[in-house]
């Protein structure tokens, strides 16, 4: 069953517009909030706010804001809440005194009540050791004696083990410190010492110590479980704004892509014409060809599709307004594109107004999802890729030497903290946390800084999220040379990086294989798959050329959303079916009750026998 193709030639003059607005939150009074033992201001993002303006307002470095709020790397959204650490002149020190108490420096905003709660004590326990303090208030910077509370037990236990419902046990490994353990388990150093008699002699290898469980990891009560269940149901119910409609005989889909029809005269349909196309139209033409092939494949006698292709060209917002003024656009069932963020946001508002689902087929920040539950973001964010990397590390490298490298202050630096945080969260959900290595964080500026962290025996699993091609190239050469040295014959390396590494033409494939490089990618095609072979054969017959990743993306999106329209009368269903396509998989997650959907799925690949192999 052939589909109807309607091509609209819309001339758009290319222009590039760029503007910066700096705004400041209008508030002179900052309320301090304590979250996980740390003090924060909570900043509500307003129109015109940038990371730079927020940094100036609070006098907190941009990289610190990024570390505390990994989501800001995908852009700021109006109404978003950002945690701003309260600056401290000095760090509170823990000083154990003969095992009976330790000295604690009071931080800004703390009260006697909050200290008692933090250390699981009564207020009178603290005042008994500090007779000079007033129970109605304590002072910032004041040193208090905090009694070390012995864990209650009916009979003496040699290793001072505590009830499993309240504490974990950890066997100390070489190289671990109280600080690294506090980061691994996301508890304070004070709290670890508190339940281990102050650890006056420090940590020792193979020593078994107690780790306080975080309250959030306790077994949920029935009431808490019901609250979470209700919250999940609230989010699920909110998809009613993309309703399951009565099924139609014809579905209309609009493609707003840069075809540059005037430059091409028409959309190319053969290999000969493809050689002559305007370069900027390549993505649109290849995507379009794959899109049509998929709709052709899934159309039936009962259901057909009409495709309206609009030439969006560049970023001219006035011309995009002209496209949106076309009366037929209000009757669409699905809109794909446009590619540029500024125009996409404009079209997304139009889609929300007319209750039309809209899909971004290229990389965009999560800002496009805010307060618009009609938007689908097909390409996952880097944070989603990091979460998939964590799954890989836990499944395959959890006992190895794990290091996360932060390369200077590049845009990807915050991914290091996201990686460590997600890893620690996953590890804490395991029954036996001692089976998992902790992650060491190292800030670097040159390849030698990485070399210095190599262990001569075992597997060194290094996560290095940077797209600096010169640095990565030099690093690959240096690491490969080291592995050839006699002293490093028992040394193994597993590098985990970013998809951009695969685009560095000056790096030999041999290095990727020797260094066991793993990277997340958005698309991976298994050409040995029988279904893929059939699609490729049809594509070549129809277009006289081999399909590219752009064509496969068009095919996958048309197949996924088209099948949903046929089956449900809606572009989306949360029934949990297998959404694996030819080059990707769609695992859409609703990012908020009133916000859109992000695809969370990312492939992980590595080189094996000099070709890419799918790991996840």
């Amino acid at each position: 069953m052939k589909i109807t193709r309607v091509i609209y030639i819309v001339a758009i003059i290319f222009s590039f517009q760029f503007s910066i607005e700096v705004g400041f939150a209008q508030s002179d009074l900052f309320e301090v909030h304590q979250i996980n033992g740390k003090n924060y201001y909570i900043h509500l993002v307003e129109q015109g706010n940038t990371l730079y303006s927020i940094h100036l307002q609070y006098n907190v470095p941009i990289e610190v804001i990024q570390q505390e709020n990994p989501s800001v790397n995908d852009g700021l959204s109006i109404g978003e809440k950002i945690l701003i650490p309260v600056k401290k002149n000095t760090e509170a020190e823990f000083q154990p005194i003969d095992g009976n108490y330790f000295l604690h420096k009071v931080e800004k905003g703390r009260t006697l009540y909050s200290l008692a709660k933090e250390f699981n004590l009564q207020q009178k326990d603290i005042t008994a050791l500090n007779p000079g303090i007033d129970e109605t208030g304590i002072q910032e910077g004041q040193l208090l004696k905090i009694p070390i509370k012995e864990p209650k037990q009916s009979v003496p236990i040699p290793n001072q083990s505590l009830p499993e419902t309240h504490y974990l046990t950890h066997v100390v490994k070489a190289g671990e410190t109280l600080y690294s353990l506090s980061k691994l388990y996301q508890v304070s150093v004070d709290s670890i010492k508190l339940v281990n008699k102050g650890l006056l002699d420090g940590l020792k290898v193979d020593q078994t110590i107690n780790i306080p469980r975080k309250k959030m990891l306790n077994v949920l009560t029935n009431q808490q479980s019901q609250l979470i269940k209700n919250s999940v149901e609230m989010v699920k119910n909110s998809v009613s704004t993309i309703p399951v409609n009565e099924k139609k005989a014809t579905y209309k889909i609009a493609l707003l892509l840069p075809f540059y029809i005037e430059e091409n005269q028409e959309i190319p349909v053969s290999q000969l014409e493809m050689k002559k196309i305007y370069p900027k139209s390549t993505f649109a033409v290849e995507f379009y060809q794959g899109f049509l092939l998929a709709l052709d494949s899934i159309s039936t006698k009962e259901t057909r599709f009409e495709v309206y292709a609009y030439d969006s060209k560049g970023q001219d917002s006035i011309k995009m307004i002209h496209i949106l003024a076309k009366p037929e656009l209000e009757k669409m069932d699905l809109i794909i594109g446009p590619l540029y963020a500024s125009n996409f946001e404009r079209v997304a508002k139009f889609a929300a107004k007319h209750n039309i689902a809209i899909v971004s087929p290229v990389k965009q920040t999560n800002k496009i999802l805010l307060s618009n539950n009609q938007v689908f973001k097909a390409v996952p964010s880097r944070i989603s890729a990091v979460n998939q990397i964590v799954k890989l590390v836990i499944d395959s490298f959890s006992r190895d030497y794990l290091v996360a490298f932060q390369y200077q202050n590049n845009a990807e630096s915050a991914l290091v903290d996201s990686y460590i945080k997600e890893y620690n969260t996953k590890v804490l959900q395991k029954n036996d946390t001692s089976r998992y290595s902790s992650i060491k964080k190292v800030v670097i500026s040159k390849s030698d800084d990485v070399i210095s962290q190599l262990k001569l025996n075992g597997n060194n699993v290094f996560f290095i999220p940077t797209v600096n091609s010169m640095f990565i190239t030099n690093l690959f050469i240096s690491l490969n040379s080291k592995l050839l040295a006699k002293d490093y014959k028992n040394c193994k390396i597993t590098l985990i990086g970013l998809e951009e590494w695969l685009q560095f033409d000056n790096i030999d494939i041999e290095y990727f294989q020797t260094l066991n490089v793993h990277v997340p990618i958005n698309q991976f095609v298994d050409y040995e798959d029988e279904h893929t072979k059939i699609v490729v054969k049809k594509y070549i017959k129809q277009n006289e050329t081999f399909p590219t990743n752009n064509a496969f993306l068009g095919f996958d999106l048309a197949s996924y959303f088209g099948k949903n329209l046929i089956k449900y009368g809606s572009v989306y269903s949360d029934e949990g079916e297998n959404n694996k396509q030819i080059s990707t998989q769609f695992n859409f997650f609703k990012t908020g009750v009133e916000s859109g959907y992000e695809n969370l799925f990312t492939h992980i690949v590595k080189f094996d026998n000099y070709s890419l192999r799918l790991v996840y």
Side-chain angles (χ1 to χ4, degrees):
M1 173 66 99
K2 294 297 181 182
I3 62 176
T4 303
R5 310 173 190 184
V6 184
I7 311 300
Y8 282 86
I9 303 177
V10 181
I12 298 178
I13 300 173
F14 178 84
S15 68
F16 181 72
Q17 299 176 338
F18 183 75
S19 63
I20 298 177
E21 295 182 4
V22 179
F24 297 91
Q26 302 303 313
S27 176
D28 296 323
L29 299 176
F30 299 114
E31 182 180 355
V32 175
H33 301 262
Q34 189 173 80
I35 302 173
N36 293 333
K38 294 178 66 176
N39 289 334
Y40 295 94
Y41 302 122
I42 297 181
H43 178 85
L44 192 66
V45 177
E46 299 177 345
Q47 178 70 37
N49 278 173
T50 65
L51 275 179
Y52 182 71
S53 69
I54 296 173
H55 138 72
L56 290 178
Q57 182 177 355
Y58 293 91
N59 193 26
V60 173
I62 290 177
E63 57 268 23
V64 173
I65 299 175
Q66 291 174 321
Q67 289 169 5
E68 296 288 349
N69 306 272
S71 64
V72 302
N73 293 290
D74 288 325
L76 297 178
S77 302
I78 296 175
E80 180 180 2
K81 293 181 179 179
I82 296 178
L83 299 180
I84 308 295
V86 176
K87 295 184 68 175
K88 297 182 290 184
N89 294 328
T90 57
E91 292 293 330
E93 295 181 357
F94 182 102
Q95 303 176 32
I97 309 296
D98 67 25
N100 296 317
Y101 65 88
F102 60 89
L103 294 179
H104 177 81
K105 183 175 288 187
V106 178
E107 298 174 336
K108 183 178 180 180
R110 302 306 301 272
T111 64
L112 187 60
Y113 175 79
S114 67
L115 285 178
K117 284 293 183 182
E118 178 179 352
F119 297 112
N120 195 24
L121 299 167
Q122 299 292 325
Q123 293 186 46
K124 63 182 181 181
D125 296 331
I126 300 176
T127 56
L129 284 180
N130 301 274
I133 69 171
D134 183 356
E135 288 193 23
T136 61
I138 52 180
Q139 302 298 317
E140 179 184 359
Q142 183 178 7
L143 283 177
L144 297 180
K145 296 178 181 178
I146 305 296
I148 294 176
K149 186 177 181 181
E150 291 286 339
K152 294 181 179 180
Q153 48 192 40
S154 55
V155 293
I157 300 177
N159 292 330
Q160 295 294 316
S161 60
L162 297 162
E164 187 178 358
T165 55
H166 300 293
Y167 298 90
L168 300 168
T169 58
H170 178 88
V171 179
V172 178
K173 295 186 282 292
E176 289 185 328
T177 65
L178 279 172
Y179 178 76
S180 68
L181 291 178
S182 72
K183 292 299 182 184
L184 173 62
Y185 291 100
Q186 293 184 299
V187 296
S188 67
V189 171
D190 286 9
S191 63
I192 297 176
K193 290 189 174 184
L194 185 65
V195 297
N196 290 280
K197 289 190 173 182
L199 289 172
L200 299 179
D201 297 326
L203 294 179
K204 297 179 181 179
V205 176
D206 295 330
Q207 177 185 7
T208 299
I209 63 172
N210 301 312
I211 304 291
R213 283 184 184 270
K214 293 185 68 177
K215 292 182 179 180
M216 62 177 292
L217 295 177
N218 289 343
V219 178
L220 293 173
T221 63
N222 292 334
Q223 183 179 8
Q224 290 171 318
S225 298
Q226 187 60 43
L227 285 173
I228 291 177
K229 182 178 179 181
N230 292 342
S231 298
V232 172
E233 289 301 319
M234 184 184 299
V235 172
K236 287 185 176 180
N237 292 337
S238 69
V239 303
S240 60
T241 53
I242 301 182
V244 178
N245 303 316
E246 291 186 9
K247 297 178 183 178
K248 301 179 181 179
T250 301
Y251 289 101
K252 298 181 178 182
I253 302 176
L255 299 181
L256 278 60
L257 301 174
F259 290 106
Y260 290 93
I261 293 178
E262 289 183 343
E263 288 79 357
N264 287 314
Q265 301 303 315
E266 61 181 10
I267 296 182
V269 294
S270 70
Q271 171 66 6
L272 182 61
E273 291 173 346
M274 283 292 291
K275 292 179 180 179
K276 299 184 296 182
I277 69 169
Y278 187 63
K280 289 184 178 180
S281 66
T282 300
F283 174 88
V285 171
E286 293 174 349
F287 181 95
Y288 174 76
Q289 291 172 338
F291 199 88
L292 292 183
L293 179 62
L295 293 185
D296 235 3
S297 303
I298 65 176
S299 296
T300 65
K301 292 181 178 180
E302 294 78 23
T303 308
R304 59 193 290 269
F305 295 89
E306 289 182 359
V307 176
Y308 295 72
Y310 298 87
D311 188 2
S312 64
K313 286 195 176 178
Q315 302 180 75
D316 193 314
S317 58
I318 295 178
K319 296 302 180 182
M320 185 55 63
I321 292 174
H322 291 166
I323 294 177
L324 295 179
K326 293 186 175 295
E328 72 276 0
L329 206 61
E330 296 180 8
K331 300 178 182 179
M332 294 296 145
D333 297 290
L334 176 65
I335 298 174
I336 307 289
L339 306 187
Y340 293 102
S342 56
N343 278 336
F344 185 89
E345 291 177 8
R346 184 182 299 277
V347 179
K349 290 179 181 178
F350 172 91
K353 179 180 178 181
H354 298 284
N355 202 30
I356 305 170
I358 179 171
V359 179
S360 171
V362 294
K363 289 183 179 179
Q364 299 272 15
T365 69
N366 280 7
K367 181 180 178 181
I368 65 172
L369 303 175
L370 185 67
S371 301
N372 190 338
N373 48 24
Q374 299 291 343
V375 178
F376 289 79
K377 183 170 172 276
V379 179
S381 65
R382 278 180 170 164
I383 295 297
S384 297
V386 166
N387 293 343
Q388 189 77 328
I389 289 171
V390 168
K391 183 177 185 299
L392 165 74
V393 172
I394 286 180
D395 290 347
S396 304
F397 307 116
S398 61
R399 290 180 176 270
D400 295 327
Y401 177 51
L402 307 179
V403 185
F405 294 93
Q406 180 177 309
Y407 177 63
Q408 295 179 340
N409 292 321
N410 61 43
E412 298 81 26
S413 295
L415 296 178
V416 170
D417 294 304
S418 297
Y419 169 67
I420 295 173
K421 182 178 180 180
E422 178 69 11
Y423 177 84
N424 291 342
T425 299
K426 294 298 183 185
V427 166
L428 286 172
Q429 295 172 358
K430 305 295 182 180
N431 291 328
D432 184 6
T433 58
S434 64
R435 295 179 61 251
Y436 299 87
S437 301
S438 58
I439 297 176
K440 181 179 181 180
K441 177 181 176 180
V442 179
V443 178
I444 58 176
S445 60
K446 55 186 183 299
S447 58
D448 286 346
D449 296 335
V450 178
I451 301 295
S452 66
Q453 296 297 322
L454 281 174
K455 287 193 172 182
L456 298 181
N457 296 295
N459 188 21
N460 299 267
V461 181
F462 291 172
F463 177 53
I464 313 176
T466 177
V467 295
N468 186 307
S469 60
M470 183 176 294
F471 170 79
I472 293 299
T473 301
N474 292 335
L475 177 63
F476 273 43
I477 294 172
S478 299
L479 288 174
N480 190 67
S481 298
K482 279 293 181 183
L483 291 181
L484 296 176
K486 182 178 180 181
D487 292 342
Y488 289 82
K489 64 179 180 179
N490 295 323
C491 176
K492 294 182 180 180
I493 298 175
T494 295
L495 286 188
I496 304 175
L498 301 177
E499 181 173 5
E500 285 82 355
W501 288 13
L502 300 178
Q503 300 168 8
F504 298 161
D505 296 332
N506 52 342
I507 300 181
D508 196 295
I509 292 180
E510 180 77 35
Y511 291 167
F512 279 94
Q513 185 150 314
T514 301
L515 301 176
N516 195 26
V517 175
H518 290 65
V519 295
I521 62 174
N522 298 322
Q523 291 180 267
F524 177 84
V525 180
D526 179 8
Y527 291 101
E528 297 303 316
D529 178 77
E530 291 303 319
H531 176 57
T532 301
K533 290 179 180 179
I534 294 172
V535 171
V536 170
K537 185 177 180 179
K538 288 182 178 180
Y539 187 93
I540 294 174
K541 182 179 180 180
Q542 180 171 305
N543 300 292
E544 301 176 14
T545 185
F546 197 83
T548 64
N549 272 358
N550 296 333
F552 283 123
L553 178 61
F555 185 95
D556 290 346
L557 285 172
S559 179
Y560 173 79
F561 289 107
K563 287 179 179 178
N564 281 345
L565 285 170
I566 292 174
K567 186 172 182 179
Y568 306 108
S570 170
V571 298
Y572 177 72
S573 170
D574 60 352
E575 292 190 1
E577 298 178 351
N578 182 7
N579 295 317
K580 185 180 183 303
Q581 308 298 320
I582 289 182
S583 70
T584 188
Q585 182 169 322
F586 295 118
N587 177 20
F588 284 109
F589 170 78
K590 190 164 176 54
T591 57
V593 174
E594 297 181 353
S595 295
Y597 300 76
E598 179 189 4
N599 180 23
L600 301 182
F601 185 82
T602 304
H603 291 296
I604 302 289
V605 297
K606 62 173 287 188
F607 275 94
D608 186 21
N609 197 23
Y610 302 98
S611 62
L612 280 180
R613 179 176 67 83
L614 188 65
V615 179
Y616 278 98

